[in-house]
């Protein structure tokens, strides 16, 4: 019997969808091990310390995940070994909690030097996730945008060294669709203006600015120029965002998801504008908006697309206002409401709410 060639063996291995079966096949002999490695397109690395011993077996990787501490030299090795990678997930998974807020924990292991190496060699990158990599600064981001012109998704949440300089570069990106800047507290209004007036204004669909507490209405007003935006979070961005910014956001008619939670100076004027202009809105979070009243909530009673309403810790809402909204919003599927009002809403009203709507009390 003739030996099976690499091409024939490759055709056999491609038919194996079960991960454990692929691993078993790779243990048959050296040829099977080599061919299986050439066919592998996705890999999650659990122990980066062994990276140099096994990564060369997978030169055709498209998606790579490394969630632990990673020095620049190892990332440079990744760039040299896997130049075809398109999805690079370096989100840091915290395994040793030191405090109650894991989002504030990060390491300065990986810096802009490592990201520059990847950007220079892996020019086909489309999705890059760098959550909690606190050593990443503007240089790495600028290099990614310069060399990886097809990048669509970028997660920089809790990368605390990111400043307006990075946003100026991001604004010039021509294919960026999703940008997460959650916890990048050095960003200011100038950065938002740069982001919203560049090429990315025509492509960006999802933007998370949660806890960027240096921004104000001045910068938020520029966001209305993001004509393709569908998802926006301004959660916990501080008291400098008021109805001036909130009303301007409603000019983005295609918005489907908005998070205004804990914006204490957003009031009914914003909600009225959203209800009237954002006809495609599906998800709305106004938790902790102290100025929200039943008058503002009632604006959504006839909304045709709203499916999720989160309105916990809104102490000025009345049982009547909530009742009216729940009964009138025909597409509502899920609502989170303040538990103190539970006893004031009639059982009949709750029973009459769309049977598909689940109510959670907090």
């Amino acid at each position: 019997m003739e030996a099976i060639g690499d091409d024939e063996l490759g055709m056999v291995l491609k038919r194996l969808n079960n991960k454990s079966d692929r691993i078993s096949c790779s243990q048959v002999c050296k040829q099977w091990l080599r061919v299986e490695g050439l066919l592998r397109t996705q890999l999650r690395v659990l122990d980066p310390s062994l990276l140099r011993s096994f990564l060369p077996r997978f030169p055709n990787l498209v998606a790579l995940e490394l969630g632990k501490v990673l020095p620049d030299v190892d990332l440079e090795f990744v760039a040299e070994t896997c130049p075809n990678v398109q999805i690079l997930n370096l989100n840091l998974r915290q395994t040793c909690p030191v405090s109650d807020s894991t989002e504030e924990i990060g390491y300065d292991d990986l810096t802009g030097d490592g990201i520059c190496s990847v950007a220079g060699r892996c020019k086909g990158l489309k999705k890059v996730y760098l959550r909690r990599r606190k050593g990443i600064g503007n240089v790495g981001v600028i290099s990614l945008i310069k060399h990886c012109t097809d990048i669509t998704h970028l997660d920089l949440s809790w990368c605390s060294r990111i400043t307006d300089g990075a946003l100026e570069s991001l604004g010039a990106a021509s294919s960026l669709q999703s940008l997460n800047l959650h916890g990048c507290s050095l960003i200011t209004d100038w950065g938002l203006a740069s982001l919203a007036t560049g090429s990315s204004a025509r492509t960006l669909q999802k933007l998370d600015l949660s806890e960027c507490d240096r921004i104000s209405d001045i910068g938020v007003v520029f966001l209305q120029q993001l004509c393709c935006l569908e998802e926006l979070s301004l959660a916990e961005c501080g008291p400098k965002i008021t109805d001036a910014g909130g009303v301007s956001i409603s000019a983005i008619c295609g918005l489907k998801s908005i998070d205004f939670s804990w914006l204490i100076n957003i009031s009914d004027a914003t909600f009225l504008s959203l209800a009237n202009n954002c006809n495609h809105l599906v998800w709305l979070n106004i938790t902790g908006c102290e100025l929200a009243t039943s008058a503002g909530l009632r604006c959504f009673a006839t909304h045709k697309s709203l499916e999720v309403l989160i309105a916990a810790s809104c102490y000025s809402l009345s049982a009547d206002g909530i009742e009216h909204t729940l009964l009138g919003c025909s597409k509502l599927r899920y609502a989170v409401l303040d538990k103190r009002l539970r006893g004031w809403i009639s059982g009949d009203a709750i029973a009459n709410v769309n049977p598909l709507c689940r109510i959670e009390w907090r």
Side-chain angles (χ1 to χ4, degrees):
M1 180 178 176
E2 294 184 5
I4 300 176
D6 287 356
D7 292 340
E8 291 82 1
L9 180 57
M11 293 177 65
V12 172
L13 293 178
K14 285 179 180 179
R15 292 178 177 271
L16 298 178
N17 296 320
N18 186 283
K19 183 179 178 181
S20 60
D21 289 342
R22 293 280 294 265
I23 294 175
S24 297
C25 287
S26 70
Q27 297 172 346
V28 171
C29 64
K30 290 182 178 180
Q31 181 198 17
W32 287 49
L33 178 70
R34 177 174 53 79
V35 174
E36 193 278 332
L38 292 174
L39 294 176
R40 185 80 69 89
T41 59
Q42 301 181 44
L43 184 67
R44 180 184 178 188
V45 179
L46 300 177
D47 188 354
S49 65
L50 301 176
L51 196 65
R52 295 176 181 272
S53 64
F54 65 78
L55 193 62
R57 191 164 72 87
F58 309 108
N60 298 315
L61 288 179
V62 174
L64 178 63
E65 179 181 351
L66 300 102
K68 295 186 178 181
V69 175
L70 187 72
D72 285 334
V73 290
D74 282 352
L75 192 56
E76 291 169 6
F77 179 72
V78 168
E80 295 170 359
T81 309
C82 306
N84 299 317
V85 68
Q86 297 178 15
I87 303 173
L88 183 61
N89 186 347
L90 301 179
N91 282 351
L92 187 63
R93 294 191 302 275
Q94 182 60 37
T95 56
C96 301
V98 179
S99 69
D100 294 334
S101 178
T102 57
E103 299 294 3
E104 295 179 358
I105 301 171
Y107 295 94
D108 290 344
D109 57 317
L110 189 63
T111 71
D113 291 341
I115 297 300
C116 287
S117 298
V118 169
R121 292 179 177 269
C122 307
K123 296 185 179 181
L125 277 171
K126 294 182 178 179
K127 299 181 180 181
V128 181
Y129 304 95
L130 300 170
R131 186 181 184 89
R132 300 192 194 99
R133 296 289 182 177
K134 294 196 172 185
I136 301 297
N138 293 350
V139 173
V141 175
I142 292 171
S143 183
L144 279 174
I145 299 304
K146 178 181 179 181
H147 296 289
C148 306
T149 55
D150 294 328
I151 195 164
T152 60
H153 293 66
L154 183 59
D155 186 349
L156 297 170
S157 53
W158 302 102
C159 293
S160 54
R161 297 185 183 181
I162 298 299
T163 70
D164 292 337
L167 266 66
E168 184 176 13
S169 177
L170 290 166
S174 58
S175 57
L176 193 61
Q177 298 175 14
S178 176
L179 177 61
N180 191 339
L181 297 169
H182 190 154
C184 295
S185 57
L186 297 180
I187 290 172
T188 71
D189 294 329
W190 185 85
L192 294 190
S194 299
L195 181 66
T197 55
S199 300
S200 62
R202 297 186 292 273
T203 61
L204 200 59
Q205 298 174 12
K206 182 177 180 180
L207 178 61
D208 190 340
L209 295 168
S210 304
E211 297 191 54
C212 295
D213 54 9
R214 295 193 184 190
I215 65 176
S216 71
D217 288 335
I218 296 172
V220 171
V221 167
F222 281 99
L223 298 182
Q224 63 184 303
Q225 299 183 50
L226 302 177
C227 56
C228 296
L229 199 64
E230 296 181 357
E231 299 180 37
L232 173 65
S233 177
L234 294 172
E236 300 183 68
C237 281
K240 291 182 286 186
I241 297 179
T242 70
D243 286 328
V247 171
S248 69
I249 290 300
S250 66
I252 311 174
C253 299
L255 276 172
K256 295 180 179 179
S257 173
I258 302 176
D259 191 345
F260 280 160
S261 56
W262 303 105
L263 296 183
I264 59 173
N265 286 323
I266 291 286
S267 74
D268 293 342
T270 291
F271 307 138
L272 173 61
S273 191
L274 288 175
N276 289 337
N277 298 323
C278 299
N279 297 322
H280 302 289
L281 192 62
V282 174
W283 193 93
L284 176 64
N285 188 346
I286 60 171
T287 295
C289 292
E290 298 177 357
L291 300 181
T293 71
S294 294
L297 197 63
R298 284 173 180 266
C299 297
F300 293 97
T302 57
H303 201 278
K304 302 301 182 182
S305 62
L306 190 64
E307 296 181 10
V308 178
L309 173 63
I310 305 175
S313 301
C314 294
Y315 302 118
S316 296
L317 298 182
S318 68
D320 289 342
I322 290 176
E323 225 178 277
H324 180 80
T325 305
L326 292 179
L327 292 173
C329 201
S330 60
K331 291 291 185 69
L332 203 62
R333 298 291 179 266
Y334 177 63
V336 178
L337 304 171
D338 200 304
K339 60 184 178 182
R340 69 184 180 86
L341 294 172
R342 187 171 189 174
W344 296 96
I345 299 179
S346 68
D348 290 340
I350 294 178
N352 290 330
V353 170
N354 189 328
L356 296 177
C357 181
R358 180 169 66 92
I359 301 177
E360 182 178 335
W361 304 93
R362 291 183 187 172

